[in-house]
Every structure is written in C-alpha cells, then in structure tokens.
Amino acid sequence: MTAPATVDRRVRIGLIVDNPNRDLAGAALLAHALTKRDAEAVIVPFYQQAVDIPLLGLDVVLLNYARLNNKPLMQTYKKLGIALAVLDTEGGILSESGMNAPTNWASLIKDSGLGALIDAYLFWGETVCQAFRDGSGLAPDSLHATGCPRFDITAPKWRDLLTYSRDGYVLINANFPSVNPRYSGSVEKEKATLRGVGWEAAYVETLFAELERTFKAYLGELRRLAQALPERAFLLRPHPFEKPETYTQALGDLGNVTIDPAGNVLNVIHHARCVLHLNCGTSVEAIQLGKLPVSLEYLNSETLRSHSRLPSRVSHAADSFADLCAAIEEADSLTARFDFEGLHRQFIQPWFHLPDGAAAERVAEVLCDLGQRKNTTGPAQRVSLSASLAGGREAAPAGQRLQAAVMNLLGSRAGTALRARM
C-alpha cells in the first residue's frame, strides 16, 4: 500500500449512508482512511442529506447512487460548488440484462445527462468499470475500480471486529423485499419503482409473480426444515428492507428458529455454521468469510436466477429438500472441500475487486485527489440556508419544504423523529 497522500488544506468530504446496519461499518473505515490523509469526513444520513449537505460547506460528496430521481439533488450540490463522486450501494449483484446490467447502466448515465454532474465514479469491480469506459461517456480518468469499503471488514485483518452473541447456528438470509416491503408500503409501489427506473412493465409483472410464488414456497420450506431438524438452531435474518413480522408470523412459534434483523449481516455470517439463501447477495459475503453458502435451487426459477446469476454460481446447490438437509448436516466436510478461493477469483473478483481489506484506502485516495483538484481549480464551496430550506431542490413540493423548515428549526435528528411519529 502506498503512503497516504496529503491535501493542500483540510478538505471536507461527505459520506452518505443509506442503511446503517449494512453501510455504517464501511463508512467508518472510509472515514478513518480519510483522516489519515488529513481530510475531514462527515457522515450524512441518506434521508437527511438534502437539508444537511447545503449547510456543511463540503468540498466533495460521495453519493450512494446516481439516477434520475436524485438528479435535482445532484444539481443543487453542483451549484454549491461541491464535487460529486459516486459509489453505488448496489454495485456487484447485477442482472445480465435489464436496466441494471452494466452496459445499460452505463448508457443511462450517458443518455440522462447525469454524467455532466459526476466528477468521479467508483466501482465495486472491474466489470462494471469497463462497461462505463465503453459506454458512459465519462472521462476514463474519472472512473476507478476500487472495491466497496463495506466488504473490507471481511478481510482477516478486520474479522476480529465481527462480534456476535451467538455461534454455530444455521443462518437463513432472506431476500424478498420487493414482495415483503418494509418501507414502501405496498408491492404496487415496489413495482412502480422498478418501472420508474426503466424496467419494462411486462418483465416487472413476470418477475413479481415469480417472487410471490417463490416467497410462499420459501416460507413453507423453512418451516419444514426447522421441523425436520429440531436439534439444529436456525437464525433467520430478513433483508434490511423486509418486514420482519412476516417471518415472525410464519416461523415464530418454532423453538429452534430465532428471527433477528439487528446489526450488520457480516457479524452474523461470521459466526454461522453455514448460510442458506435463494438468490441473495450475502452468498458473496459468505464466500469472503469462508462460510458455506447453500442455495435452495430447487425453489429457483430461470426468471429469478437470470435476474441475478452470481449467487447461484458461487453457492453449493441444494436440488431437493433432501439435499438441503444433507448439506446442513454435512456442512463441516462440505466447507473443508469447498473451493472458496477459486470461486472468488473466477466469479466474484470481477464484480467485487480484490479481497484485501483495502477498498477504503483506494476510495479515500480518489476522494482526496478530487478534493485537492477542486480546491485548486473549482469555485469555493458555499453554504446555502435557502437550499437547505428548499430540501435541496429548486422545485421542492410544499411538504418537503415544510419538513426542511422543521429540520432547520429543530435539527435534522429531531425533525426526522417528529416526521416518523407523525
């Protein structure tokens, strides 16, 4: 690793955190890497950014995505003289076709005008970075394959931080937020979100029909499994954007099943015997932590598999209920024979970069360089109370302006708590 670079003056870099359980540990590692370079890191909650960022006097903001729905925010930040970098929250478990396929994702940036607002784009792996070199219209020197800091903690040098209160359980990672949504309020809203970012309506209907059918079967098989192996302890972890209550209602009466959505999934994987899933990206984290990922392939369909092929490719396939029970009972021997290194090198590394625990260092290097160049060649950053009061948008609805006013008056934390209670 190269020695940390320093900046001409102390730059302020904002790091937007979407889901704290998933993203906060990586943001902390990145903040640490930035402070080593004499930069100041400011962690900004995703839903408060429109009010907070115009008041913080930042030089650089690391956005957690760039799409049409946050383009007005990006435009406001640029007008304030802030350099914009992007490192997507979802950047490695992608489709081979559809709107989040690498080539289509790159075309979206080019055709939407978003590229004109972006000073640097950082990628989980080389595959997506190359697609952007070929089709995004962004300058090649603004594109960087760095890895994602949230996976740094899977490296051996950080694993001692992954503490958890239990050990040796069979971990079940659920992955059905679209048909079991916690925050959006309805499946129809989830469908509208996918259509809104460019997925064809017919495909969305087919996908959701498959998800609803499979979810029902998945719940039934988990109950059957826990009853078939009563001596095994199972820990079920809902996706961060799923309703945990659905699993409590379906499985909560079983004495050997614990449902726990709290904390970072990496901690929970690290202490598991093996990891059960269906098309879940945590199969990658399981590989990174040396835990056997077992996919319930006998419940899968080509529609669901093709929407995200990587999890199936890197997992031990259970092709029947008997296979699933056997994999759990033989998890130790299967783990000893499983080709973790080969699967990572062949399938995971092109999408997730090097498993060296140094993604935060690479990201910090890019951000500090961007901040230094911005200070030298760009306008000075400005603080804007009016932009904060407008909720970060020139044409903000009255409701957003009211929320922004309350947050400015009471503070964003208090304003957010009041909004949640209302």
Side-chain angles (χ1 to χ4, degrees), residues 62-292:
L62 181 63
L63 300 167
N64 63 317
Y65 70 95
R67 300 290 188 274
L68 288 173
N69 66 322
N70 68 336
K71 186 176 181 180
L73 275 178
M74 294 171 66
Q75 291 170 326
T76 296
Y77 300 160
K78 290 294 285 187
K79 288 179 181 178
L80 292 175
I82 301 172
L84 300 185
V86 184
L87 177 59
D88 281 75
T89 301
E90 308 293 344
I93 306 296
L94 304 175
S95 300
E96 295 180 355
S97 60
M99 285 309 299
N100 70 337
T103 54
N104 292 334
W105 183 2
S107 296
L108 170 68
I109 296 297
K110 181 177 182 179
D111 298 339
S112 64
L114 288 165
L117 302 171
I118 296 169
D119 297 284
Y121 218 122
L122 293 76
F123 301 93
W124 290 20
E126 181 60 33
T127 298
V128 183
C129 188
Q130 185 59 53
F132 269 62
R133 292 190 192 104
D134 295 338
S136 70
L138 293 172
D141 62 358
S142 71
L143 308 175
H144 310 269
T146 59
C148 180
R150 83 169 184 242
F151 300 108
D152 279 355
I153 205 167
T154 65
K157 66 180 180 179
W158 297 112
R159 286 183 191 173
D160 287 346
L161 299 175
L162 297 175
T163 59
Y164 191 60
S165 59
R166 301 170 183 265
D167 203 61
Y169 44 81
V170 176
L171 175 61
I172 303 167
N173 277 336
N175 186 40
F176 293 90
S178 296
V179 293
N180 183 36
R182 182 177 183 179
Y183 298 113
S184 66
S186 74
V187 172
E188 289 305 315
K189 288 182 180 179
E190 292 290 325
K191 291 180 181 180
T193 297
L194 283 187
R195 292 193 299 267
V197 297
W199 293 89
E200 293 182 359
Y203 176 81
V204 171
E205 291 301 320
T206 299
L207 176 65
F208 273 70
E210 286 291 290
L211 284 169
E212 289 171 343
R213 177 194 63 79
T214 305
F215 185 39
K216 181 178 179 180
Y218 192 70
L219 289 174
E221 287 299 271
L222 294 183
R223 186 172 186 86
R224 181 185 176 196
L225 178 64
Q227 291 173 330
L229 302 176
E231 300 304 315
R232 288 289 176 195
F234 294 88
L235 178 66
L236 187 144
R237 184 179 175 86
H239 186 280
F241 298 134
E242 279 193 270
K243 288 187 295 186
E245 297 82 5
T246 304
Y247 296 99
T248 302
Q249 293 167 6
L251 306 168
D253 63 316
L254 299 172
N256 59 335
V257 177
T258 300
I259 299 165
D260 183 10
N264 192 317
V265 70
L266 296 178
N267 299 61
V268 187
I269 292 173
H270 186 50
H271 291 268
R273 173 179 172 84
C274 59
V275 179
L276 311 186
H277 73 94
L278 185 61
N279 302 314
C280 185
T282 56
S283 55
V284 171
E285 286 102 309
I287 295 284
Q288 292 170 326
L289 287 167
K291 300 295 180 176
L292 178 72

